[in-house]
Amino acid sequence: TCVKAGMEKTHLVLYPGERIRSPRILVMSWKGDCQAAHNLFRRLMLSQYVPKQNGQPVQLPFALQCFDRYSRSRPDWGTEAGQIEAAKAACDLGCDTLWLDAAWFPGGFPNGVGNLTCKPEEFPNGLKPVSDACHKLGLKFMLWFEPERVCEGTDVSVQHPEFVYGHENRQSHEGLFKLGEPAALQWMTDLLSKRITEYGVDIYRQDFNMDPLQDWRANDEPDRVGMTEILYIQGLYKMWDDLLARHPGLIIDNCASGGRRIDLEMCMRSIPMWRSDTNCWAGNADLNQLQSLGLGQYVPLSMACGWQVDPYDFRSSTTAGSISQWDYMNAKFPAETGKKLVEEAKKNAPYWYGDFYPLMPSNASPDQFSAYQLHRPDMDAGLVLAFRRQECDLVGIIVSLKGINPEMNYIVEFVDESLMPKERKMTGRELISGVELRPGEKHSSLVVWYRADSSGR
């Protein structure tokens, strides 16, 4: 087997005293079962690479985030008063984070990217009143930034045009900030750090919605092919390292048009909390299942977004954290169901820090089942998520659970769309030989929790 990896074009000389680094590559050797190897890789990522807090992998948020639902339809939402009300709604639902996306700066998204100040009428006191309201309610405050893309006429382009690769390299009105130049990098790092402090930001979300390659290559010298890209990415890593050092406890969300920068170095500093831009609209529950099945075998911590207050949709999106893009401003909003779903997501979260097992082949077909298992060997416990899709004629499937001790007895809870648990006691051998999963009608889901019965009965 031959594997090639690295930068596409690199041919350069270094100046006296200059040092650069190449892309980081992680290779893990393994023998035997492929799925066991995937779980060894997950364990390696969790123990050595993902961001830590207090020596443990960072805990993902349970966030209320309604930018795509409300930013263009409810002008009262993207205001100081609207966001304080959103914080109260998040708290009432049992969420632990208010997520304010790209709705707070002049010009709006996308034309205002490059303005790193608040809208003066909507947020006359800055964002501190919003974060203060969050903190009083016991919530974290999460805020969206896109520092690398600079639109013409915005503050960054006007105040420091020398820090932006000119718009002449592209037909659009967007420019690329020069993270590879030390003066520009320092200026942007200081500005972002200032905003994190004055706005009370707990989770810093960085998006990136443009292709930088043409700017990188247009600014390479003939004997320095690839150098602009190398210095730029080194600058990006340094900026994040500096922000993390200046703000202990800060968590970074790595978006980039939805999961387009999930490389090892980024995973060491951040979590892809918006792993795909299919999160931007409703109706993608099956895609969320598919993404969990695929990405979950390599990147243990990621997040997706649920749009509907129903178990099938929300269970399809939840991982070690959850995003609720719910219509909470609707008078008919089913708040009690929402609370139950967030509570269930919190109960599920610890198992995403364990081993991951696909129980059905990966597929996107609406006439199939989807199912996967999360298992914590240290707890001898786990969960199964099963989904009968909208055109699936199978009423159920039988699956063999992994990681189970055949000599133990287990307490097993089955929770269908009613959200009412039904408890059974099963032996380890029964769980291994085959568990019948019957979610219910088409387009329905089932969660199964199991734990070793310490009573021995």
Side-chain angles (χ1 to χ4, degrees):
T1 301
C2 177
V3 177
K4 292 184 178 181
M7 289 178 57
E8 186 177 12
K9 292 186 177 182
T10 310
H11 181 78
L12 53 86
V13 297
L14 295 181
Y15 297 145
E18 188 175 32
R19 299 178 65 182
I20 60 171
R21 52 174 300 177
S22 61
R24 183 188 294 260
I25 296 173
L26 173 62
V27 178
M28 187 196 78
S29 61
W30 61 280
K31 292 181 181 180
D33 180 68
C34 182
Q35 192 56 54
H38 279 296
N39 282 318
L40 282 175
F41 190 82
R42 280 178 59 94
R43 294 180 189 184
L44 178 63
M45 290 291 293
L46 287 165
S47 66
Q48 301 297 322
Y49 290 99
V50 304
K52 302 290 199 304
Q53 286 189 340
N54 300 318
Q56 298 297 318
V58 66
Q59 300 297 300
L60 302 193
F62 298 87
L64 179 67
Q65 195 274 82
C66 291
F67 172 80
D68 295 287
R69 182 180 288 277
Y70 287 145
S71 63
R72 295 172 180 85
S73 63
R74 295 289 301 255
D76 53 333
W77 175 81
T79 65
E80 178 181 313
Q83 285 303 296
I84 290 174
E85 287 302 312
K88 294 176 183 176
C91 183
D92 290 343
L93 286 167
C95 297
D96 61 17
T97 298
L98 176 66
W99 175 331
L100 176 55
D101 217 79
W104 57 275
F105 48 87
F109 180 83
N111 296 327
V113 174
N115 291 322
L116 291 165
T117 56
C118 291
K119 293 178 179 178
E121 294 185 6
E122 290 84 349
F123 298 99
N125 305 300
L127 294 178
K128 194 62 163 57
V130 178
S131 66
D132 283 347
C134 289
H135 296 152
K136 288 178 182 178
L137 292 168
L139 304 176
K140 292 184 173 67
F141 180 53
M142 180 172 176
L143 187 62
W144 181 99
F145 293 85
E146 190 178 355
E148 298 167 82
R149 185 165 61 136
V150 181
C151 291
E152 287 184 302
T154 58
D155 291 344
V156 175
S157 69
V158 171
Q159 295 171 13
H160 287 285
E162 74 279 12
F163 290 168
V164 183
Y165 287 119
H167 302 89
E168 69 273 5
N169 293 331
R170 53 180 69 244
Q171 294 180 348
S172 71
H173 65 293
E174 302 168 340
L176 181 68
F177 193 82
K178 297 180 180 179
L179 286 183
E181 295 195 6
L185 174 64
Q186 189 65 54
W187 182 85
M188 181 58 76
T189 303
D190 291 343
L191 179 58
L192 292 174
S193 181
K194 180 181 178 182
R195 294 291 182 262
I196 289 169
T197 297
E198 68 180 334
Y199 293 161
V201 175
D202 303 292
I203 304 177
Y204 166 83
R205 168 170 166 78
Q206 183 163 323
D207 206 347
F208 185 43
N209 296 291
M210 64 183 292
D211 181 1
L213 189 60
Q214 58 184 304
D215 293 292
W216 291 341
R217 290 184 174 172
N219 288 279
D220 278 341
E221 298 173 14
D223 61 347
R224 304 262 285 177
V225 176
M227 197 64 179
T228 306
E229 177 180 357
I230 290 171
L231 295 177
Y232 186 100
I233 298 301
Q234 287 182 175
L236 173 63
Y237 295 158
K238 185 178 188 306
M239 183 173 76
W240 281 13
D241 288 341
D242 287 350
L243 292 177
L244 291 168
R246 294 185 195 185
H247 303 277
L250 183 71
I251 300 172
I252 297 179
D253 165 33
N254 161 29
C255 179
S257 290
R260 295 177 183 237
R261 269 181 167 171
I262 309 180
D263 62 83
L264 183 62
E265 290 272 7
M266 298 297 267
C267 288
M268 292 168 64
R269 297 167 171 84
S270 64
I271 305 294
M273 296 184 189
W274 195 266
R275 67 190 184 192
S276 169
D277 269 358
T278 55
N279 288 307
C280 294
W281 62 93
N284 290 315
D286 295 356
L287 286 179
N288 283 335
Q289 300 161 21
L290 192 64
Q291 291 164 14
S292 288
L293 275 166
L295 188 61
Q297 298 183 72
Y298 299 91
V299 179
L301 301 180
S302 71
M303 291 177 65
C305 180
W307 276 72
Q308 306 300 330
V309 190
D310 73 75
Y312 186 93
D313 183 79
F314 201 58
R315 287 169 174 171
S316 297
S317 69
T318 55
T319 59
S322 68
I323 307 168
S324 305
Q325 188 99 208
W326 289 343
D327 192 11
Y328 70 90
M329 298 179 79
N330 189 326
K332 296 182 179 180
F333 175 70
E336 289 304 314
T337 301
K339 291 178 186 178
K340 290 179 181 179
L341 290 173
V342 172
E343 182 180 1
E344 180 184 280
K346 289 181 175 180
K347 183 175 179 179
N348 291 350
Y351 302 112
W352 286 88
Y353 293 84
D355 293 341
F356 182 91
Y357 295 98
L359 298 177
M360 295 291 290
S362 179
N363 68 80
S365 177
D367 64 355
Q368 297 294 316
F369 256 87
S370 180
Y372 37 93
Q373 175 191 358
L374 286 302
H375 181 72
R376 287 285 298 266
D378 57 325
M379 299 164 58
D380 203 357
L383 69 84
V384 174
L385 287 162
F387 304 91
R388 182 185 179 188
R389 293 177 176 162
Q390 59 268 29
E391 297 176 17
C392 182
D393 290 328
L394 295 174
V395 297
I397 56 173
I398 297 176
V399 298
S400 172
L401 299 195
K402 315 299 181 184
I404 300 296
N405 183 344
E407 305 303 322
M408 284 294 296
N409 294 322
Y410 290 82
I411 299 172
V412 186
E413 292 181 80
F414 296 80
V415 187
D416 59 16
E417 298 275 309
S418 70
L419 302 181
M420 298 296 292
K422 296 179 181 178
E423 185 176 300
R424 292 170 56 188
K425 290 191 176 182
M426 302 180 69
T427 66
R429 287 186 174 85
E430 287 177 313
L431 295 177
I432 294 170
S433 63
V435 181
E436 187 176 285
L437 305 178
R438 286 178 172 259
E441 299 178 354
K442 293 180 180 180
H443 193 75
S444 61
S445 62
L446 179 72
V447 62
V448 180
W449 292 301
Y450 61 89
R451 65 185 188 276
D453 185 358
S454 58
S455 69
R457 296 191 298 271

